[in-house]
Amino acid sequence: MVQKAYKALTNPQIKKLRAHEIAVLNEAHKSKFPFKGFDIQLYHWKGGEKSVLLIHGWEGQAGNFSDLIQKLQENNYTIYAFDGPSHGFSSIGATSMFEFIELIEVLIKKFQVTQLVSHSFGGVATTFSLANNPDITIKKYALLTTPDRFSQRIDVVAKQVGITEKVKRKLIYKLEQETDSSVASMNVSDFVQRIAIEQVYIIHDKADKVIPITQAKNVADNWKNSTFEAIEGTGHFRILRTDRVLEKVIAFLD
C-alpha cells in the first residue's frame, strides 16, 4: 500500500484540455527543453517589454491559463509558460515536487522574468524555489489559490488511496529518506518568510473545496508585503476562467 500511495504522489494524472485551451496553446511558439531526463514543453507568446512566467499546479498544465494568457496578450505582455515534468505535453515518467521546484528555478533564470503568476500547487513549488535561491529577484507575484503544508497533500492522497495512518507514516518516512527533507518543514508559510518580493497578491475563493481558504490566509499572514483577497463564486478551478479575477491580476501586474 505504501508503494501504491507513493505512485499516486509521483505519477500525476493528465487531464484533458478544452478546445479553447488547446487553441490558445497553438498560438504559442513551442519548444522542448531537456531537464532531468524529461522533454519539457515550453510556450512563448511574444509581446512587449513586460514579461511574466505562468506556473501551473500539480496535475495542471499551461493550457489552464488560456483565459489569462489572452488578457495578458491584450495588455501587450510577453508570456512564458511550461508543462511540468510528466504534466501536459511534456514527456511522461515518475516525478516529484522537488523536480518541479528545481525546474521553476531554471526557467525563471532562463527567461529572466521578474513577474510570476501561479495556481494552486504551483505556489508551493515557486515559494520553495525562491526561498532556496535568494539571488533571484522577483518584483511582483500573484498566487491564484495556494496550499500551505505539503503534509496536507499527503493527507489527500492517503484518503484517495485508502491507506491507514500506519501506512501513511511509512510513506512519509520513504519520502523523507529519498529527499533528505522533513515533510513537516515543507510549509509555504515558512518558505515565504525567507523571500523578499516587492509586491505579492494572493486571491482565494472562500468556498474552495480543494484547498481551504485558511491555508492561503496563513500564508498571507506570514508573508511581508503580501495582499490577501477572499472572493466568492469561483471555486478552485474556475478562478482561472473568471473575468473579474483575471482583471484583478492584470491590474496588479500593471
Side-chain angles (χ1 to χ4, degrees), residues 72-138:
L72 287 166
Q73 286 179 304
E74 291 169 6
N75 286 270
N76 201 31
Y77 272 85
T78 290
I79 307 154
Y80 300 99
F82 66 97
D83 293 331
S86 203
H87 286 72
F89 293 98
S90 291
S91 58
I92 305 301
T95 188
S96 71
M97 175 181 77
F98 296 94
E99 289 180 332
F100 204 111
I101 289 165
E102 189 174 340
L103 177 62
I104 290 171
E105 171 199 344
V106 170
L107 294 182
I108 288 175
K109 291 178 178 179
K110 175 179 173 62
F111 298 133
Q112 298 183 316
V113 292
T114 59
Q115 298 194 106
L116 309 173
V117 178
S118 67
H119 176 242
S120 191
F121 170 85
V124 179
T126 303
T127 54
F128 196 143
S129 181
L130 294 175
N132 290 334
N133 292 276
D135 58 310
I136 294 177
T137 299
I138 299 298

Side-chain angles (χ1 to χ4, degrees), residues 21 62 67 76 90 122 144-145 172 198 228 232 237:
E21 294 170 326
D67 292 80
N76 201 31
S90 291
L144 299 175
T145 80
I172 291 172
E198 292 180 14
F228 178 80
E232 295 181 274
F237 297 103

Side-chain angles (χ1 to χ4, degrees), residues 174-194:
K174 177 178 174 64
L175 290 168
E176 291 181 333
Q177 290 297 301
E178 288 189 355
T179 61
D180 194 29
S181 300
S182 166
V183 166
S185 69
M186 298 179 198
N187 307 315
V188 177
S189 54
D190 294 328
F191 302 153
V192 299
Q193 295 179 50
R194 310 201 304 268

Side-chain angles (χ1 to χ4, degrees), residues 166-230:
K166 182 178 180 180
V167 174
K168 187 171 79 172
R169 286 195 295 272
K170 289 182 179 179
L171 172 63
I172 291 172
Y173 178 77
K174 177 178 174 64
L175 290 168
E176 291 181 333
Q177 290 297 301
E178 288 189 355
T179 61
D180 194 29
S181 300
S182 166
V183 166
S185 69
M186 298 179 198
N187 307 315
V188 177
S189 54
D190 294 328
F191 302 153
V192 299
Q193 295 179 50
R194 310 201 304 268
I195 301 172
I197 298 180
E198 292 180 14
Q199 295 182 60
V200 176
Y201 178 42
I202 302 172
I203 185 166
H204 203 108
D205 193 284
K206 293 178 180 179
D208 189 323
K209 295 180 180 179
V210 177
I211 301 172
I213 193 171
T214 50
Q215 292 190 36
K217 186 65 169 64
N218 193 48
V219 171
D221 288 343
N222 284 277
W223 202 342
K224 186 180 179 180
N225 296 334
S226 70
T227 299
F228 178 80
E229 183 171 359

Side-chain angles (χ1 to χ4, degrees), residues 26 32 39 53 55 115 147 192 207 210 212 215 223 234 250:
N26 286 337
K32 293 289 187 178
D39 288 326
L53 174 64
I55 303 156
Q115 298 194 106
V192 299
V210 177
Q215 292 190 36
W223 202 342
T234 73
I250 297 295

